[in-house]
Amino acid sequence: MKRPRIPVLFACLALAACTGEPTHRLPYGVMTKEPGLLGVITNQSGVEVMPPEGAGGALATALSEALAAALRDQDIAALAGQELNGGHRISGKARIQDNVLVTVWKLHDAGGALAAQFETREALPAGAREDAIPASILQAMAGHTAAAFAPHLLPGEAHSAALRVHSAAP
């Protein structure tokens, strides 16, 4: 008796699909906002958030990652530390002065023109080192910056709603 080979083939394909490796590559990059949801950043969209100058490597990376995450929370496609061909670019400076973390971020449009600038200042715990700043402080600073930049990054009605929310903030 001859056994059907098709069920065996499907079983092998199903097993191969469960390896955790993607079966195809996306052309530019993928960011996730929460498990199971993917947003694709194409060559002409998205925001690149560069690490700010003036901060040490770990702090600069943490600041750019926190800002990119805060932008994604606002439904804005953003990647930290990766250059995109097109789209907006956020760069900035950071420093610790008198136990206060100061960031100045600049948002540039796809053509390179300055679209917005935002500064945050946050008091640090006594004796805080640059490499040991609590994540909650970085996330709060990033949230304020993302809220300030969202009106410049969201289209149409979403732009208007974000502008109303940011204008109403203290």
Side-chain angles (χ1 to χ4, degrees):
M1 181 163 130
K2 198 172 191 181
R3 292 187 169 190
R5 294 184 183 187
I6 292 177
V8 173
L9 178 62
F10 282 120
C12 290
L13 288 174
L15 189 59
C18 295
T19 63
E21 291 294 318
T23 57
H24 62 283
R25 301 271 181 218
L26 296 172
Y28 302 107
V30 175
M31 60 113 207
T32 59
K33 182 176 176 184
E34 53 189 330
L37 296 179
L38 297 178
V40 177
I41 297 178
T42 69
N43 205 21
Q44 298 300 317
S45 66
V47 179
E48 61 183 50
V49 182
M50 303 310 295
E53 298 174 4
L59 177 58
T61 299
L63 284 165
S64 63
E65 288 176 353
L67 181 51
L71 288 166
R72 288 191 300 269
D73 287 344
Q74 301 246 356
D75 293 327
I76 298 167
L79 290 173
Q82 296 183 13
E83 292 193 27
L84 301 173
N85 295 328
H88 289 75
R89 178 185 181 106
I90 296 175
S91 60
K93 295 185 179 189
R95 69 183 187 282
I96 297 175
Q97 179 180 342
D98 300 326
N99 216 42
V100 173
L101 177 58
V102 179
T103 61
V104 178
W105 293 102
K106 293 181 179 184
L107 171 66
H108 296 271
D109 65 17
L114 181 64
Q117 181 172 319
F118 192 73
E119 180 175 322
T120 58
R121 295 174 177 269
E122 190 70 38
L124 299 175
R129 298 184 333 258
E130 184 176 282
D131 62 346
I133 296 174
S136 60
I137 290 176
L138 302 181
Q139 291 165 351
M141 295 176 80
H144 296 304
T145 304
F149 287 166
H152 303 279
L153 296 166
L154 294 170
E157 181 53 34
H159 173 278
S160 299
L163 188 56
R164 286 191 299 272
V165 168
H166 179 66
S167 297

